[in-house]
Amino acid sequence: SQTIHQWPATLVQPVGSPLSLECTVEGTSNPNLYWYRQAAGRGLQLLFYSVGIGQISSEVPQNLSASRPQDRQFILSSKKLLLSDSGFYLCAWKLQGGPGELFFGEGSRLTVL
Amino acid sequence: GDSVTQMEGPVTLSEEAFLTINCTYTATGYPSLFWYVQYPGEGLQLLLKATKADDKGSNKGFEATYRKETTSFHLEKGSVQVSDSAVYFCALSGTGGFKTIFGAGTRLFVKA
Protein backbone atom coordinates (compact mmCIF):
# COMPACT_ATOMS: atom_id res chain seq x y z
CA SER A 1 0.00 0.00 0.00
CA GLN A 2 1.02 3.59 -0.52
CA THR A 3 2.21 5.80 2.31
CA ILE A 4 3.43 9.36 2.57
CA HIS A 5 5.87 10.61 5.18
CA GLN A 6 6.48 14.23 5.98
CA TRP A 7 8.97 15.72 8.45
CA PRO A 8 9.66 17.39 10.72
CA ALA A 9 6.22 17.49 12.30
CA THR A 10 6.92 20.68 14.24
CA LEU A 11 9.49 23.37 13.69
CA VAL A 12 10.21 26.68 15.44
CA GLN A 13 12.66 28.87 13.55
CA PRO A 14 13.93 32.45 13.89
CA VAL A 15 13.33 35.02 11.18
CA GLY A 16 16.08 34.90 8.58
CA SER A 17 16.98 31.24 9.16
CA PRO A 18 16.78 28.59 6.42
CA LEU A 19 14.06 25.96 6.05
CA SER A 20 13.90 22.44 4.70
CA LEU A 21 10.76 20.31 4.85
CA GLU A 22 10.90 16.87 3.33
CA CYS A 23 8.24 14.57 1.96
CA THR A 24 8.62 10.99 0.74
CA VAL A 25 6.05 8.74 -0.89
CA GLU A 26 6.27 4.95 -0.83
CA GLY A 27 4.45 2.29 -2.76
CA THR A 28 3.83 4.13 -6.02
CA SER A 29 5.83 5.41 -8.99
CA ASN A 30 5.84 8.71 -10.84
CA PRO A 31 3.23 10.42 -8.69
CA ASN A 32 2.20 14.04 -8.97
CA LEU A 33 3.48 15.81 -5.83
CA TYR A 34 2.18 18.92 -4.11
CA TRP A 35 2.98 21.38 -1.33
CA TYR A 36 0.09 23.25 0.26
CA ARG A 37 0.12 25.80 3.07
CA GLN A 38 -2.68 26.27 5.55
CA ALA A 39 -2.45 29.55 7.45
CA ALA A 40 -4.32 29.88 10.75
CA GLY A 41 -8.06 30.10 10.12
CA ARG A 42 -7.64 29.98 6.35
CA GLY A 43 -7.98 27.43 3.61
CA LEU A 44 -5.34 25.56 1.68
CA GLN A 45 -3.10 27.47 -0.67
CA LEU A 46 -1.33 25.50 -3.38
CA LEU A 47 2.35 26.48 -3.34
CA PHE A 48 4.08 24.07 -5.73
CA TYR A 49 3.36 20.97 -7.73
CA SER A 50 5.51 18.56 -9.68
CA VAL A 51 4.68 16.05 -12.39
CA GLY A 52 8.19 14.54 -12.59
CA ILE A 53 11.79 14.67 -11.38
CA GLY A 54 13.16 18.19 -11.64
CA GLN A 55 9.82 19.59 -12.87
CA ILE A 56 8.43 22.20 -10.50
CA SER A 57 5.51 24.56 -11.05
CA SER A 58 5.10 27.49 -8.69
CA GLU A 59 1.65 28.83 -7.98
CA VAL A 60 2.46 31.79 -5.75
CA PRO A 61 5.54 34.02 -5.95
CA GLN A 62 7.07 34.05 -2.51
CA ASN A 63 9.98 33.32 -0.28
CA LEU A 64 9.87 29.56 -0.79
CA SER A 65 11.18 27.09 -3.35
CA ALA A 66 10.65 23.40 -4.04
CA SER A 67 12.73 20.63 -5.50
CA ARG A 68 12.16 17.05 -6.59
CA PRO A 69 15.55 15.32 -6.62
CA GLN A 70 14.06 11.82 -6.82
CA ASP A 71 10.81 10.40 -8.14
CA ARG A 72 9.15 10.10 -4.75
CA GLN A 73 10.88 12.88 -2.82
CA PHE A 74 9.65 16.46 -2.61
CA ILE A 75 11.44 19.17 -0.64
CA LEU A 76 10.24 22.62 0.38
CA SER A 77 12.96 25.14 1.16
CA SER A 78 13.67 28.71 2.06
CA LYS A 79 16.96 30.56 2.37
CA LYS A 80 15.61 33.17 4.79
CA LEU A 81 12.33 32.72 6.62
CA LEU A 82 9.85 35.54 7.15
CA LEU A 83 7.25 35.84 9.90
CA SER A 84 4.57 35.40 7.24
CA ASP A 85 5.93 31.93 6.42
CA SER A 86 4.40 30.55 9.62
CA GLY A 87 1.70 27.99 8.98
CA PHE A 88 0.82 24.35 8.54
CA TYR A 89 2.50 22.82 5.49
CA LEU A 90 1.00 19.78 3.84
CA CYS A 91 2.58 17.51 1.29
CA ALA A 92 0.30 15.46 -0.94
CA TRP A 93 0.45 13.07 -3.87
CA LYS A 94 -1.87 11.63 -6.45
CA LEU A 95 -1.68 9.31 -9.40
CA GLN A 96 -0.87 10.82 -12.75
CA GLY A 97 -3.42 10.90 -15.51
CA GLY A 98 -6.57 12.45 -14.13
CA PRO A 99 -8.40 14.40 -11.45
CA GLY A 100 -8.13 11.74 -8.78
CA GLU A 101 -7.91 11.77 -5.03
CA LEU A 102 -5.12 13.58 -3.19
CA PHE A 103 -3.36 11.71 -0.40
CA PHE A 104 -1.96 13.96 2.31
CA GLY A 105 0.86 13.67 4.78
CA GLU A 106 0.39 14.48 8.45
CA GLY A 107 1.64 18.03 8.02
CA SER A 108 4.49 20.16 9.36
CA ARG A 109 3.71 23.05 11.66
CA LEU A 110 6.18 25.90 11.19
CA THR A 111 6.39 28.82 13.60
CA VAL A 112 8.68 31.66 12.67
CA LEU A 113 9.61 33.94 15.58
CA GLY B 1 -9.46 30.76 -12.99
CA ASP B 2 -11.13 27.93 -11.13
CA SER B 3 -12.40 28.64 -7.63
CA VAL B 4 -14.40 27.15 -4.80
CA THR B 5 -16.60 29.04 -2.34
CA GLN B 6 -17.94 27.40 0.79
CA MET B 7 -19.94 28.72 3.69
CA GLU B 8 -18.02 30.32 6.50
CA GLY B 9 -17.94 28.71 9.86
CA PRO B 10 -17.78 27.78 12.50
CA VAL B 11 -20.93 25.71 12.45
CA THR B 12 -22.10 24.51 15.86
CA LEU B 13 -24.72 21.76 16.09
CA SER B 14 -26.09 19.47 18.72
CA GLU B 15 -25.63 15.74 18.35
CA GLU B 16 -28.17 14.15 15.95
CA ALA B 17 -28.88 17.45 14.19
CA PHE B 18 -28.99 17.75 10.39
CA LEU B 19 -25.92 19.18 8.71
CA THR B 20 -25.60 21.16 5.50
CA ILE B 21 -22.39 22.84 4.38
CA ASN B 22 -22.82 24.79 1.16
CA CYS B 23 -20.24 24.72 -1.61
CA THR B 24 -20.31 26.36 -5.03
CA TYR B 25 -17.66 26.38 -7.69
CA THR B 26 -16.46 28.18 -10.80
CA ALA B 27 -14.65 26.14 -13.42
CA THR B 28 -14.36 25.65 -17.14
CA GLY B 29 -15.21 22.26 -18.54
CA TYR B 30 -16.30 19.41 -16.32
CA PRO B 31 -14.35 19.27 -13.06
CA SER B 32 -14.37 16.50 -10.49
CA LEU B 33 -15.63 17.59 -7.07
CA PHE B 34 -14.48 16.46 -3.64
CA TRP B 35 -15.09 16.86 0.05
CA TYR B 36 -12.10 16.40 2.34
CA VAL B 37 -12.11 16.29 6.14
CA GLN B 38 -9.35 17.39 8.52
CA TYR B 39 -9.40 16.20 12.12
CA PRO B 40 -7.44 18.27 14.67
CA GLY B 41 -3.69 18.19 14.15
CA GLU B 42 -3.87 15.93 11.10
CA GLY B 43 -3.62 16.15 7.36
CA LEU B 44 -6.65 15.99 5.10
CA GLN B 45 -8.39 12.82 3.99
CA LEU B 46 -10.93 12.26 1.28
CA LEU B 47 -14.52 12.05 2.51
CA LEU B 48 -16.36 11.64 -0.80
CA LYS B 49 -16.19 12.61 -4.45
CA ALA B 50 -18.24 12.94 -7.64
CA THR B 51 -16.82 12.99 -11.13
CA LYS B 52 -19.76 14.00 -13.33
CA ALA B 53 -23.03 15.88 -13.20
CA ASP B 54 -25.81 14.33 -11.09
CA ASP B 55 -23.39 11.91 -9.43
CA LYS B 56 -23.91 11.48 -5.70
CA GLY B 57 -20.89 10.82 -3.51
CA SER B 58 -21.45 9.23 -0.14
CA ASN B 59 -19.40 7.96 2.80
CA LYS B 60 -19.88 7.57 6.57
CA GLY B 61 -23.44 8.95 6.34
CA PHE B 62 -22.32 12.07 4.44
CA GLU B 63 -23.68 12.81 0.96
CA ALA B 64 -23.16 15.41 -1.75
CA THR B 65 -24.67 15.67 -5.23
CA TYR B 66 -22.87 17.24 -8.21
CA ARG B 67 -25.28 19.87 -9.52
CA LYS B 68 -23.99 21.39 -12.73
CA GLU B 69 -27.00 23.66 -13.25
CA THR B 70 -26.34 25.42 -9.95
CA THR B 71 -22.57 24.73 -9.88
CA SER B 72 -22.94 23.34 -6.37
CA PHE B 73 -21.78 20.37 -4.31
CA HIS B 74 -23.39 20.80 -0.88
CA LEU B 75 -22.42 18.41 1.91
CA GLU B 76 -25.20 16.87 4.02
CA LYS B 77 -25.56 14.45 6.90
CA GLY B 78 -28.82 13.49 8.50
CA SER B 79 -27.59 13.01 12.06
CA VAL B 80 -24.19 14.32 13.17
CA GLN B 81 -22.11 12.86 15.97
CA VAL B 82 -19.52 14.44 18.27
CA SER B 83 -16.87 12.53 16.35
CA ASP B 84 -17.80 14.49 13.19
CA SER B 85 -16.26 17.62 14.68
CA ALA B 86 -13.59 18.64 12.17
CA VAL B 87 -12.84 21.06 9.34
CA TYR B 88 -14.50 20.22 6.01
CA PHE B 89 -13.04 21.35 2.69
CA CYS B 90 -14.79 21.43 -0.65
CA ALA B 91 -12.44 21.05 -3.62
CA LEU B 92 -12.36 20.68 -7.36
CA SER B 93 -9.94 19.24 -9.85
CA GLY B 94 -10.24 20.62 -13.34
CA THR B 95 -10.27 18.94 -16.69
CA GLY B 96 -6.45 18.89 -16.88
CA GLY B 97 -6.26 17.13 -13.55
CA PHE B 98 -2.96 18.58 -12.33
CA LYS B 99 -4.24 20.91 -9.65
CA THR B 100 -6.82 20.61 -6.91
CA ILE B 101 -8.34 23.88 -5.73
CA PHE B 102 -9.75 24.05 -2.20
CA GLY B 103 -12.34 26.21 -0.52
CA ALA B 104 -11.52 28.03 2.71
CA GLY B 105 -12.84 25.22 4.88
CA THR B 106 -15.75 25.09 7.33
CA ARG B 107 -15.14 24.16 10.94
CA LEU B 108 -17.87 22.02 12.47
CA PHE B 109 -18.39 21.66 16.22
CA VAL B 110 -20.86 19.02 17.43
CA LYS B 111 -22.00 19.24 21.06
CA ALA B 112 -23.10 16.22 23.06
Side-chain angles (χ1 to χ4, degrees):
Chain A
S1 64
Q2 302 93 350
T3 57
I4 178 169
H5 302 286
Q6 187 180 339
W7 70 93
T10 305
L11 200 58
V12 180
Q13 293 286 100
V15 169
S17 63
L19 171 72
S20 181
L21 300 179
E22 190 164 339
C23 173
T24 300
V25 179
E26 296 177 357
T28 188
S29 296
N30 200 27
N32 285 351
L33 295 172
Y34 303 83
W35 279 110
Y36 285 88
R37 177 169 61 198
Q38 184 178 19
R42 300 177 64 181
L44 271 69
Q45 179 185 36
L46 178 60
L47 302 176
F48 301 94
Y49 69 94
S50 171
V51 300
I53 296 174
Q55 301 178 61
I56 307 296
S57 296
S58 174
E59 288 295 297
V60 182
Q62 57 201 321
N63 188 40
L64 302 170
S65 61
S67 62
R68 185 171 178 173
Q70 301 180 42
D71 180 45
R72 291 170 290 173
Q73 184 184 27
F74 205 26
I75 298 171
L76 183 69
S77 303
S78 174
K79 292 182 179 179
K80 289 186 178 181
L81 284 168
L82 305 172
L83 287 174
S84 58
D85 292 323
S86 294
F88 192 51
Y89 289 82
L90 289 159
C91 181
W93 73 273
K94 73 175 182 178
L95 293 172
Q96 294 230 11
E101 173 185 358
L102 277 170
F103 297 90
F104 283 86
E106 293 293 322
S108 298
R109 183 162 302 283
L110 170 65
T111 303
V112 183
L113 301 175
Chain B
D2 296 352
S3 66
V4 175
T5 302
Q6 62 182 103
M7 63 187 288
E8 292 187 19
V11 174
T12 302
L13 296 173
S14 297
E15 207 165 23
E16 300 184 1
F18 184 85
L19 168 71
T20 300
I21 300 177
N22 290 337
C23 171
T24 57
Y25 68 90
T26 301
T28 55
Y30 300 91
S32 292
L33 302 175
F34 306 84
W35 277 100
Y36 286 81
V37 59
Q38 183 181 32
Y39 297 103
E42 298 182 7
L44 279 71
Q45 56 186 278
L46 181 69
L47 180 60
L48 54 83
K49 67 179 181 182
T51 58
K52 61 183 187 295
D54 300 325
D55 267 2
K56 177 185 283 188
S58 61
N59 186 25
K60 299 180 181 180
F62 291 89
E63 293 183 339
T65 301
Y66 188 144
R67 301 287 188 197
K68 188 161 180 62
E69 63 276 13
T70 54
T71 61
S72 65
F73 192 54
H74 305 320
L75 182 69
E76 296 182 336
K77 187 175 185 183
S79 176
V80 293
Q81 306 300 311
V82 172
S83 58
D84 294 326
S85 297
V87 181
Y88 293 83
F89 292 91
C90 186
L92 71 81
S93 184
T95 307
F98 292 123
K99 296 188 288 186
T100 300
I101 306 301
F102 286 83
T106 302
R107 184 175 296 276
L108 171 65
F109 293 103
V110 180
K111 302 180 298 183

